[in-house]
Amino acid sequence: MPKSLAVLLSGLVFAASAALAGEQVLEFKLVTKPIDYKVTEAANIEGQVVGSGKMFGVAFFKDGRTAVKDFVASADLLKGSGPIYGYSTYTFEDGSSITARYAGSVKEGRTKGEYTILSGTGAYANATGTGSFESVPTAFKGAGLYDGKFVVKTPGS
């Protein structure tokens, strides 16, 4: 291989890896559904429930990509309001993934929360960062609709 072609190719590889390093803002719409979720009523406290279990979702990113979301969710609600938290892994079609912990609350039928990115694989290897989500009114029965955003930092940023 001619030296000039080798230099060009190595420059392209460096540029491609540098493009993945840094900070990215990923905005998405998310549809979620309980898979194995159990709700238990607290004794002697009217309207108090604790729920936890497995959930599933599909995220549609503004850049045209999709990801499946496997997650565990937990809630401690009094008359429909209270804290929620869990752990989510978003897996993209290329196999890359982002894993995050989330915490938030339900109030007056609206859900809002924050993500802390714990790790990633593939294009998001060793990722950190933050994010947010907020429910959107929907007519879906038994499913949720959300607006979401990640601010992903990958090594080199």
Side-chain angles (χ1 to χ4, degrees):
M1 173 182 317
K3 185 176 180 179
S4 60
L5 180 58
V7 170
L8 175 64
L9 289 176
S10 66
L12 289 175
V13 169
F14 175 77
S17 63
L20 293 177
E23 184 174 288
Q24 295 179 330
V25 176
L26 305 175
E27 295 182 52
F28 56 92
K29 288 278 191 194
L30 173 67
V31 178
T32 65
K33 182 145 179 84
I35 299 299
D36 183 17
Y37 193 85
K38 183 176 180 175
V39 176
T40 305
E41 294 180 17
N44 301 316
I45 306 172
E46 185 179 334
Q48 183 73 56
V49 297
V50 174
S52 67
K54 292 182 180 183
M55 308 273 286
F56 180 80
V58 178
F60 301 90
F61 287 79
K62 278 192 173 182
D63 65 8
R65 295 181 302 153
T66 57
V68 294
K69 177 182 178 176
D70 288 300
F71 64 115
V72 293
S74 180
D76 184 2
L77 307 177
L78 177 60
K79 298 180 182 174
S81 296
I84 60 168
Y85 68 94
Y87 295 87
S88 304
T89 297
Y90 289 77
T91 304
F92 295 85
E93 293 173 280
D94 70 356
S96 297
S97 67
I98 295 172
T99 297
R101 182 184 195 287
Y102 69 86
S105 63
V106 179
K107 185 176 181 182
E108 299 174 0
R110 301 292 303 256
T111 304
K112 192 173 187 176
E114 304 290 327
Y115 288 108
T116 301
I117 297 172
L118 304 174
S119 66
T121 64
Y124 301 107
N126 302 309
T128 60
T130 60
S132 61
F133 62 91
E134 187 169 350
S135 63
V136 175
T138 181
F140 292 142
K141 299 294 181 206
L145 179 62
Y146 302 86
D147 285 328
K149 178 172 76 171
F150 285 127
V151 179
V152 183
K153 297 177 183 173
T154 50
S157 59

